[in-house]
Amino acid sequence: FPVLERLLNEMKSSSVVNKQLTSALARRLLSIAAGATSEVEIDMKEVNLADVCKKCEAKSATLRCQPCNHLCICSACVSQVLPSEEDVDKLMTVKLHMVLPGQSPIYCPDCKQAVMVISLVE
């Protein structure tokens, strides 16, 4: 963090005589910088995990289930969810698959709620 480093350098070059306070302040600035860095890393891990397919856990999820609104299926795994390859092809073309009354239910891989619509998110 350049700003904190600059403040620390200014503090060292200033006329502050109390070495104990200078040392305490330097430790606190380094602690703040370390805390901010670890929070950013945690946030990035949460973002990356949130976008991963819940079936294969390897590819980015590109399909959203409704009404639960979970983005949780990748284009490779959708064939495991939909009843036929024809439905998969249609979903990729039209960007939407609706479960009609009387059809076999589809369940969200994330929350296991019945899905009414699967939409392709680009």
Side-chain angles (χ1 to χ4, degrees):
F1 287 91
V3 172
L4 293 176
E5 188 174 325
R6 191 184 76 232
L7 288 171
L8 186 57
N9 288 336
E10 285 178 20
M11 181 186 66
K12 286 178 182 177
S13 66
S14 72
S15 61
V16 175
V17 178
N18 188 332
K19 291 196 184 257
Q20 186 177 9
L21 287 176
T22 303
S23 178
L25 185 56
R27 282 193 307 274
R28 181 67 182 138
L29 287 172
L30 292 173
S31 166
I32 290 169
T37 302
S38 64
E39 286 175 19
V40 169
E41 289 170 3
I42 290 169
D43 289 345
M44 289 308 293
K45 287 177 186 174
E46 288 173 3
V47 168
N48 291 339
L49 289 176
D51 293 340
V52 172
C53 175
K54 300 301 187 259
K55 302 257 326 145
C56 67
E57 297 182 346
K59 296 183 179 178
S60 294
T62 56
L63 297 158
R64 185 176 304 280
C65 297
Q66 298 293 342
C68 63
N69 205 34
H70 288 131
L71 180 65
C72 60
I73 307 170
C74 71
S75 57
C77 290
V78 74
S79 61
Q80 299 171 26
V81 176
L82 294 180
S84 71
E85 282 302 315
E86 183 180 324
D87 288 330
V88 172
D89 293 340
K90 189 173 179 181
L91 168 66
M92 294 305 169
T93 303
V94 180
K95 299 181 181 6
L96 189 74
H97 175 79
M98 293 180 65
V99 179
L100 300 174
Q103 288 183 332
S104 298
I106 296 172
Y107 297 98
C108 173
D110 198 13
C111 69
K112 311 301 183 221
Q113 181 179 343
V115 173
M116 298 173 73
V117 175
I118 297 175
S119 59
L120 181 64
V121 177
E122 297 180 291

